[in-house]
Amino acid sequence: ELKHTHGELQDAAKTLCAFLNRGLPGIVLFGITPKGKLVGQDCSDQTLQEIAQVSRKFEPAIALQIKTWEVEESHRHVIGVQARGLLEQRPYTFDGRAYERVGSTPRQMPQELYQQLLVSRPLTLRWESLPVSLSLEMLDHEEILRTVRLGVQEGRLPEAAAQAPLEELLERMDLR
């Protein structure tokens, strides 16, 4: 989905909601006109924060991935936003409403479809399948090391794991 500026953020969020409800890996690009002309847009920290804040209006919770590209010789940017969620958590709502994709536009989802998706949602979701947006710095490194030591002590991890530097452990756990 192409948007001229992040001033169209509410419409973009409805589109992301519709993508989530279809299980599509949709991306919204700000700084490109709907006809495909690359115009870029100003991209301050406040702009990125406003985009990130829109994720709070989604239910169930989602993770947004935001990436920027500088438009050559203009000091303007294209901003790409992708919503990540789980198919099993459908239906997703934005600002209290569910959306679906019809052709190239989002529209409010009919109540009947919303109810069908809601009823087909699994009763329980495992915590490890939920989306997370944590940085490595946010992890409790001491707790990780304690857990590794306990795993070695209980015979669930090899002795070498307790001797490995934290960076190596995180790489092995695919957290780097």
Side-chain angles (χ1 to χ4, degrees), residues 104-130:
S104 61
T105 60
R107 74 168 186 194
Q108 191 170 339
M109 183 181 287
Q111 185 69 26
E112 184 177 308
L113 177 57
Y114 177 79
Q115 288 174 339
Q116 286 174 356
L117 289 172
L118 200 55
V119 168
S120 67
R121 187 189 280 177
L123 294 177
T124 59
L125 288 172
R126 298 178 56 94
W127 67 267
E128 63 268 21
S129 66
L130 298 176

PDB file of all heavy atoms in Angstrom, residues 104-130:
ATOM      1  N   SER A 104      -8.243  -3.333  -3.657  1.00  0.00           N
ATOM      2  CA  SER A 104      -7.044  -2.638  -3.189  1.00  0.00           C
ATOM      3  C   SER A 104      -7.338  -1.693  -2.017  1.00  0.00           C
ATOM      4  O   SER A 104      -6.507  -0.857  -1.682  1.00  0.00           O
ATOM      5  CB  SER A 104      -6.417  -1.841  -4.340  1.00  0.00           C
ATOM      6  OG  SER A 104      -7.341  -0.868  -4.795  1.00  0.00           O
ATOM      7  N   THR A 105      -8.517  -1.850  -1.410  1.00  0.00           N
ATOM      8  CA  THR A 105      -8.859  -0.951  -0.308  1.00  0.00           C
ATOM      9  C   THR A 105      -9.348  -1.720   0.914  1.00  0.00           C
ATOM     10  O   THR A 105      -9.944  -2.786   0.801  1.00  0.00           O
ATOM     11  CB  THR A 105      -9.970   0.044  -0.729  1.00  0.00           C
ATOM     12  OG1 THR A 105     -11.119  -0.693  -1.113  1.00  0.00           O
ATOM     13  CG2 THR A 105      -9.530   0.937  -1.863  1.00  0.00           C
ATOM     14  N   PRO A 106      -9.102  -1.141   2.080  1.00  0.00           N
ATOM     15  CA  PRO A 106      -9.652  -1.757   3.295  1.00  0.00           C
ATOM     16  C   PRO A 106     -11.077  -1.271   3.522  1.00  0.00           C
ATOM     17  O   PRO A 106     -11.434  -0.153   3.146  1.00  0.00           O
ATOM     18  CB  PRO A 106      -8.726  -1.237   4.399  1.00  0.00           C
ATOM     19  CG  PRO A 106      -8.258   0.085   3.892  1.00  0.00           C
ATOM     20  CD  PRO A 106      -8.206  -0.032   2.393  1.00  0.00           C
ATOM     21  N   ARG A 107     -11.900  -2.127   4.099  1.00  0.00           N
ATOM     22  CA  ARG A 107     -13.241  -1.705   4.486  1.00  0.00           C
ATOM     23  C   ARG A 107     -13.562  -2.392   5.812  1.00  0.00           C
ATOM     24  O   ARG A 107     -12.966  -3.406   6.169  1.00  0.00           O
ATOM     25  CB  ARG A 107     -14.281  -2.051   3.433  1.00  0.00           C
ATOM     26  CG  ARG A 107     -14.627  -3.515   3.388  1.00  0.00           C
ATOM     27  CD  ARG A 107     -15.857  -3.783   2.547  1.00  0.00           C
ATOM     28  NE  ARG A 107     -16.201  -5.192   2.676  1.00  0.00           N
ATOM     29  CZ  ARG A 107     -17.020  -5.821   1.905  1.00  0.00           C
ATOM     30  NH1 ARG A 107     -17.612  -5.174   0.921  1.00  0.00           N
ATOM     31  NH2 ARG A 107     -17.292  -7.101   2.094  1.00  0.00           N
ATOM     32  N   GLN A 108     -14.519  -1.819   6.517  1.00  0.00           N
ATOM     33  CA  GLN A 108     -14.914  -2.406   7.787  1.00  0.00           C
ATOM     34  C   GLN A 108     -15.455  -3.810   7.526  1.00  0.00           C
ATOM     35  O   GLN A 108     -16.248  -4.029   6.611  1.00  0.00           O
ATOM     36  CB  GLN A 108     -15.953  -1.549   8.482  1.00  0.00           C
ATOM     37  CG  GLN A 108     -16.184  -1.979   9.914  1.00  0.00           C
ATOM     38  CD  GLN A 108     -17.026  -0.990  10.688  1.00  0.00           C
ATOM     39  OE1 GLN A 108     -17.140   0.169  10.330  1.00  0.00           O
ATOM     40  NE2 GLN A 108     -17.620  -1.473  11.761  1.00  0.00           N
ATOM     41  N   MET A 109     -14.990  -4.754   8.344  1.00  0.00           N
ATOM     42  CA  MET A 109     -15.368  -6.152   8.177  1.00  0.00           C
ATOM     43  C   MET A 109     -16.829  -6.340   8.575  1.00  0.00           C
ATOM     44  O   MET A 109     -17.265  -5.828   9.607  1.00  0.00           O
ATOM     45  CB  MET A 109     -14.467  -7.022   9.060  1.00  0.00           C
ATOM     46  CG  MET A 109     -14.701  -8.507   8.936  1.00  0.00           C
ATOM     47  SD  MET A 109     -13.612  -9.446  10.032  1.00  0.00           S
ATOM     48  CE  MET A 109     -12.046  -9.259   9.192  1.00  0.00           C
ATOM     49  N   PRO A 110     -17.592  -7.110   7.774  1.00  0.00           N
ATOM     50  CA  PRO A 110     -18.967  -7.398   8.165  1.00  0.00           C
ATOM     51  C   PRO A 110     -19.005  -8.167   9.493  1.00  0.00           C
ATOM     52  O   PRO A 110     -18.119  -8.987   9.775  1.00  0.00           O
ATOM     53  CB  PRO A 110     -19.492  -8.277   7.021  1.00  0.00           C
ATOM     54  CG  PRO A 110     -18.571  -8.024   5.877  1.00  0.00           C
ATOM     55  CD  PRO A 110     -17.249  -7.678   6.477  1.00  0.00           C
ATOM     56  N   GLN A 111     -20.011  -7.908  10.282  1.00  0.00           N
ATOM     57  CA  GLN A 111     -20.146  -8.521  11.608  1.00  0.00           C
ATOM     58  C   GLN A 111     -20.113 -10.045  11.537  1.00  0.00           C
ATOM     59  O   GLN A 111     -19.510 -10.707  12.375  1.00  0.00           O
ATOM     60  CB  GLN A 111     -21.443  -8.038  12.273  1.00  0.00           C
ATOM     61  CG  GLN A 111     -21.617  -8.505  13.694  1.00  0.00           C
ATOM     62  CD  GLN A 111     -20.619  -7.843  14.643  1.00  0.00           C
ATOM     63  OE1 GLN A 111     -20.138  -6.751  14.390  1.00  0.00           O
ATOM     64  NE2 GLN A 111     -20.318  -8.508  15.741  1.00  0.00           N
ATOM     65  N   GLU A 112     -20.749 -10.614  10.531  1.00  0.00           N
ATOM     66  CA  GLU A 112     -20.810 -12.070  10.395  1.00  0.00           C
ATOM     67  C   GLU A 112     -19.417 -12.677  10.230  1.00  0.00           C
ATOM     68  O   GLU A 112     -19.077 -13.675  10.867  1.00  0.00           O
ATOM     69  CB  GLU A 112     -21.692 -12.440   9.195  1.00  0.00           C
ATOM     70  CG  GLU A 112     -21.889 -13.937   9.035  1.00  0.00           C
ATOM     71  CD  GLU A 112     -22.822 -14.250   7.884  1.00  0.00           C
ATOM     72  OE1 GLU A 112     -23.938 -13.690   7.834  1.00  0.00           O
ATOM     73  OE2 GLU A 112     -22.423 -15.061   7.030  1.00  0.00           O
ATOM     74  N   LEU A 113     -18.595 -12.078   9.383  1.00  0.00           N
ATOM     75  CA  LEU A 113     -17.230 -12.572   9.188  1.00  0.00           C
ATOM     76  C   LEU A 113     -16.416 -12.394  10.467  1.00  0.00           C
ATOM     77  O   LEU A 113     -15.655 -13.288  10.859  1.00  0.00           O
ATOM     78  CB  LEU A 113     -16.555 -11.856   8.016  1.00  0.00           C
ATOM     79  CG  LEU A 113     -15.097 -12.230   7.749  1.00  0.00           C
ATOM     80  CD1 LEU A 113     -14.942 -13.739   7.515  1.00  0.00           C
ATOM     81  CD2 LEU A 113     -14.562 -11.436   6.560  1.00  0.00           C
ATOM     82  N   TYR A 114     -16.588 -11.250  11.113  1.00  0.00           N
ATOM     83  CA  TYR A 114     -15.885 -10.999  12.381  1.00  0.00           C
ATOM     84  C   TYR A 114     -16.225 -12.099  13.397  1.00  0.00           C
ATOM     85  O   TYR A 114     -15.340 -12.659  14.034  1.00  0.00           O
ATOM     86  CB  TYR A 114     -16.271  -9.623  12.927  1.00  0.00           C
ATOM     87  CG  TYR A 114     -15.640  -9.307  14.261  1.00  0.00           C
ATOM     88  CD1 TYR A 114     -14.321  -8.883  14.336  1.00  0.00           C
ATOM     89  CD2 TYR A 114     -16.365  -9.438  15.443  1.00  0.00           C
ATOM     90  CE1 TYR A 114     -13.732  -8.596  15.559  1.00  0.00           C
ATOM     91  CE2 TYR A 114     -15.783  -9.154  16.663  1.00  0.00           C
ATOM     92  CZ  TYR A 114     -14.468  -8.727  16.715  1.00  0.00           C
ATOM     93  OH  TYR A 114     -13.888  -8.450  17.928  1.00  0.00           O
ATOM     94  N   GLN A 115     -17.486 -12.425  13.521  1.00  0.00           N
ATOM     95  CA  GLN A 115     -17.904 -13.458  14.475  1.00  0.00           C
ATOM     96  C   GLN A 115     -17.360 -14.831  14.094  1.00  0.00           C
ATOM     97  O   GLN A 115     -16.946 -15.601  14.957  1.00  0.00           O
ATOM     98  CB  GLN A 115     -19.430 -13.490  14.591  1.00  0.00           C
ATOM     99  CG  GLN A 115     -19.968 -12.288  15.332  1.00  0.00           C
ATOM    100  CD  GLN A 115     -21.484 -12.223  15.347  1.00  0.00           C
ATOM    101  OE1 GLN A 115     -22.154 -12.826  14.508  1.00  0.00           O
ATOM    102  NE2 GLN A 115     -22.027 -11.482  16.298  1.00  0.00           N
ATOM    103  N   GLN A 116     -17.328 -15.152  12.799  1.00  0.00           N
ATOM    104  CA  GLN A 116     -16.771 -16.430  12.355  1.00  0.00           C
ATOM    105  C   GLN A 116     -15.294 -16.537  12.732  1.00  0.00           C
ATOM    106  O   GLN A 116     -14.856 -17.587  13.221  1.00  0.00           O
ATOM    107  CB  GLN A 116     -16.920 -16.587  10.840  1.00  0.00           C
ATOM    108  CG  GLN A 116     -18.316 -16.876  10.373  1.00  0.00           C
ATOM    109  CD  GLN A 116     -18.402 -16.878   8.848  1.00  0.00           C
ATOM    110  OE1 GLN A 116     -17.448 -16.589   8.138  1.00  0.00           O
ATOM    111  NE2 GLN A 116     -19.594 -17.191   8.348  1.00  0.00           N
ATOM    112  N   LEU A 117     -14.544 -15.481  12.495  1.00  0.00           N
ATOM    113  CA  LEU A 117     -13.123 -15.494  12.839  1.00  0.00           C
ATOM    114  C   LEU A 117     -12.924 -15.591  14.347  1.00  0.00           C
ATOM    115  O   LEU A 117     -12.039 -16.303  14.823  1.00  0.00           O
ATOM    116  CB  LEU A 117     -12.422 -14.242  12.295  1.00  0.00           C
ATOM    117  CG  LEU A 117     -12.236 -14.183  10.788  1.00  0.00           C
ATOM    118  CD1 LEU A 117     -11.708 -12.817  10.372  1.00  0.00           C
ATOM    119  CD2 LEU A 117     -11.305 -15.282  10.311  1.00  0.00           C
ATOM    120  N   LEU A 118     -13.750 -14.890  15.083  1.00  0.00           N
ATOM    121  CA  LEU A 118     -13.640 -14.899  16.539  1.00  0.00           C
ATOM    122  C   LEU A 118     -13.924 -16.299  17.092  1.00  0.00           C
ATOM    123  O   LEU A 118     -13.191 -16.794  17.952  1.00  0.00           O
ATOM    124  CB  LEU A 118     -14.609 -13.878  17.138  1.00  0.00           C
ATOM    125  CG  LEU A 118     -14.359 -13.399  18.540  1.00  0.00           C
ATOM    126  CD1 LEU A 118     -12.959 -12.827  18.701  1.00  0.00           C
ATOM    127  CD2 LEU A 118     -15.386 -12.362  18.929  1.00  0.00           C
ATOM    128  N   VAL A 119     -14.948 -16.956  16.573  1.00  0.00           N
ATOM    129  CA  VAL A 119     -15.307 -18.297  17.042  1.00  0.00           C
ATOM    130  C   VAL A 119     -14.233 -19.316  16.653  1.00  0.00           C
ATOM    131  O   VAL A 119     -13.973 -20.264  17.392  1.00  0.00           O
ATOM    132  CB  VAL A 119     -16.696 -18.706  16.481  1.00  0.00           C
ATOM    133  CG1 VAL A 119     -16.972 -20.175  16.691  1.00  0.00           C
ATOM    134  CG2 VAL A 119     -17.773 -17.859  17.119  1.00  0.00           C
ATOM    135  N   SER A 120     -13.582 -19.118  15.522  1.00  0.00           N
ATOM    136  CA  SER A 120     -12.565 -20.082  15.072  1.00  0.00           C
ATOM    137  C   SER A 120     -11.206 -19.860  15.740  1.00  0.00           C
ATOM    138  O   SER A 120     -10.292 -20.665  15.552  1.00  0.00           O
ATOM    139  CB  SER A 120     -12.411 -20.026  13.553  1.00  0.00           C
ATOM    140  OG  SER A 120     -11.854 -18.790  13.158  1.00  0.00           O
ATOM    141  N   ARG A 121     -11.084 -18.806  16.532  1.00  0.00           N
ATOM    142  CA  ARG A 121      -9.822 -18.530  17.228  1.00  0.00           C
ATOM    143  C   ARG A 121      -9.577 -19.623  18.270  1.00  0.00           C
ATOM    144  O   ARG A 121     -10.489 -19.992  19.000  1.00  0.00           O
ATOM    145  CB  ARG A 121      -9.906 -17.162  17.915  1.00  0.00           C
ATOM    146  CG  ARG A 121      -8.594 -16.701  18.516  1.00  0.00           C
ATOM    147  CD  ARG A 121      -8.782 -15.465  19.354  1.00  0.00           C
ATOM    148  NE  ARG A 121      -8.864 -14.256  18.544  1.00  0.00           N
ATOM    149  CZ  ARG A 121      -9.077 -13.060  19.061  1.00  0.00           C
ATOM    150  NH1 ARG A 121      -9.254 -12.896  20.356  1.00  0.00           N
ATOM    151  NH2 ARG A 121      -9.123 -12.004  18.283  1.00  0.00           N
ATOM    152  N   PRO A 122      -8.346 -20.164  18.341  1.00  0.00           N
ATOM    153  CA  PRO A 122      -8.053 -21.182  19.364  1.00  0.00           C
ATOM    154  C   PRO A 122      -8.314 -20.628  20.768  1.00  0.00           C
ATOM    155  O   PRO A 122      -8.120 -19.439  21.026  1.00  0.00           O
ATOM    156  CB  PRO A 122      -6.570 -21.473  19.175  1.00  0.00           C
ATOM    157  CG  PRO A 122      -6.227 -20.955  17.824  1.00  0.00           C
ATOM    158  CD  PRO A 122      -7.196 -19.860  17.521  1.00  0.00           C
ATOM    159  N   LEU A 123      -8.756 -21.507  21.661  1.00  0.00           N
ATOM    160  CA  LEU A 123      -9.065 -21.067  23.022  1.00  0.00           C
ATOM    161  C   LEU A 123      -7.824 -20.640  23.792  1.00  0.00           C
ATOM    162  O   LEU A 123      -7.881 -19.769  24.635  1.00  0.00           O
ATOM    163  CB  LEU A 123      -9.804 -22.174  23.776  1.00  0.00           C
ATOM    164  CG  LEU A 123     -11.191 -22.502  23.241  1.00  0.00           C
ATOM    165  CD1 LEU A 123     -11.796 -23.666  24.011  1.00  0.00           C
ATOM    166  CD2 LEU A 123     -12.097 -21.283  23.331  1.00  0.00           C
ATOM    167  N   THR A 124      -6.723 -21.285  23.514  1.00  0.00           N
ATOM    168  CA  THR A 124      -5.493 -20.912  24.218  1.00  0.00           C
ATOM    169  C   THR A 124      -4.390 -20.660  23.221  1.00  0.00           C
ATOM    170  O   THR A 124      -4.295 -21.329  22.188  1.00  0.00           O
ATOM    171  CB  THR A 124      -5.029 -22.023  25.192  1.00  0.00           C
ATOM    172  OG1 THR A 124      -4.815 -23.210  24.437  1.00  0.00           O
ATOM    173  CG2 THR A 124      -6.046 -22.268  26.283  1.00  0.00           C
ATOM    174  N   LEU A 125      -3.573 -19.692  23.521  1.00  0.00           N
ATOM    175  CA  LEU A 125      -2.382 -19.405  22.731  1.00  0.00           C
ATOM    176  C   LEU A 125      -1.176 -19.618  23.628  1.00  0.00           C
ATOM    177  O   LEU A 125      -1.184 -19.223  24.795  1.00  0.00           O
ATOM    178  CB  LEU A 125      -2.394 -17.958  22.229  1.00  0.00           C
ATOM    179  CG  LEU A 125      -3.390 -17.641  21.140  1.00  0.00           C
ATOM    180  CD1 LEU A 125      -3.432 -16.140  20.884  1.00  0.00           C
ATOM    181  CD2 LEU A 125      -3.024 -18.358  19.858  1.00  0.00           C
ATOM    182  N   ARG A 126      -0.166 -20.233  23.089  1.00  0.00           N
ATOM    183  CA  ARG A 126       1.041 -20.450  23.869  1.00  0.00           C
ATOM    184  C   ARG A 126       1.854 -19.160  23.864  1.00  0.00           C
ATOM    185  O   ARG A 126       1.970 -18.487  22.841  1.00  0.00           O
ATOM    186  CB  ARG A 126       1.828 -21.608  23.293  1.00  0.00           C
ATOM    187  CG  ARG A 126       1.036 -22.919  23.355  1.00  0.00           C
ATOM    188  CD  ARG A 126       1.796 -24.055  22.744  1.00  0.00           C
ATOM    189  NE  ARG A 126       3.087 -24.232  23.351  1.00  0.00           N
ATOM    190  CZ  ARG A 126       3.344 -25.076  24.363  1.00  0.00           C
ATOM    191  NH1 ARG A 126       2.377 -25.790  24.864  1.00  0.00           N
ATOM    192  NH2 ARG A 126       4.565 -25.181  24.847  1.00  0.00           N
ATOM    193  N   TRP A 127       2.442 -18.817  24.993  1.00  0.00           N
ATOM    194  CA  TRP A 127       3.181 -17.554  25.129  1.00  0.00           C
ATOM    195  C   TRP A 127       4.330 -17.470  24.135  1.00  0.00           C
ATOM    196  O   TRP A 127       4.629 -16.409  23.617  1.00  0.00           O
ATOM    197  CB  TRP A 127       3.688 -17.351  26.564  1.00  0.00           C
ATOM    198  CG  TRP A 127       4.745 -18.349  26.965  1.00  0.00           C
ATOM    199  CD1 TRP A 127       4.562 -19.533  27.591  1.00  0.00           C
ATOM    200  CD2 TRP A 127       6.156 -18.232  26.748  1.00  0.00           C
ATOM    201  NE1 TRP A 127       5.746 -20.180  27.773  1.00  0.00           N
ATOM    202  CE2 TRP A 127       6.760 -19.396  27.264  1.00  0.00           C
ATOM    203  CE3 TRP A 127       6.967 -17.261  26.155  1.00  0.00           C
ATOM    204  CZ2 TRP A 127       8.121 -19.614  27.221  1.00  0.00           C
ATOM    205  CZ3 TRP A 127       8.332 -17.480  26.115  1.00  0.00           C
ATOM    206  CH2 TRP A 127       8.902 -18.639  26.644  1.00  0.00           C
ATOM    207  N   GLU A 128       4.960 -18.599  23.835  1.00  0.00           N
ATOM    208  CA  GLU A 128       6.119 -18.540  22.953  1.00  0.00           C
ATOM    209  C   GLU A 128       5.750 -18.283  21.494  1.00  0.00           C
ATOM    210  O   GLU A 128       6.606 -18.018  20.670  1.00  0.00           O
ATOM    211  CB  GLU A 128       6.980 -19.812  23.069  1.00  0.00           C
ATOM    212  CG  GLU A 128       6.294 -21.083  22.653  1.00  0.00           C
ATOM    213  CD  GLU A 128       5.610 -21.819  23.801  1.00  0.00           C
ATOM    214  OE1 GLU A 128       5.306 -21.210  24.837  1.00  0.00           O
ATOM    215  OE2 GLU A 128       5.371 -23.014  23.652  1.00  0.00           O
ATOM    216  N   SER A 129       4.471 -18.323  21.158  1.00  0.00           N
ATOM    217  CA  SER A 129       4.060 -18.048  19.787  1.00  0.00           C
ATOM    218  C   SER A 129       3.575 -16.605  19.619  1.00  0.00           C
ATOM    219  O   SER A 129       3.216 -16.213  18.524  1.00  0.00           O
ATOM    220  CB  SER A 129       2.959 -19.016  19.361  1.00  0.00           C
ATOM    221  OG  SER A 129       1.791 -18.785  20.112  1.00  0.00           O
ATOM    222  N   LEU A 130       3.581 -15.821  20.688  1.00  0.00           N
ATOM    223  CA  LEU A 130       3.126 -14.435  20.606  1.00  0.00           C
ATOM    224  C   LEU A 130       4.240 -13.532  20.084  1.00  0.00           C
ATOM    225  O   LEU A 130       5.408 -13.746  20.390  1.00  0.00           O
ATOM    226  CB  LEU A 130       2.661 -13.949  21.984  1.00  0.00           C
ATOM    227  CG  LEU A 130       1.473 -14.707  22.571  1.00  0.00           C
ATOM    228  CD1 LEU A 130       1.177 -14.206  23.975  1.00  0.00           C
ATOM    229  CD2 LEU A 130       0.257 -14.564  21.690  1.00  0.00           C
TER     230      LEU A 130
END
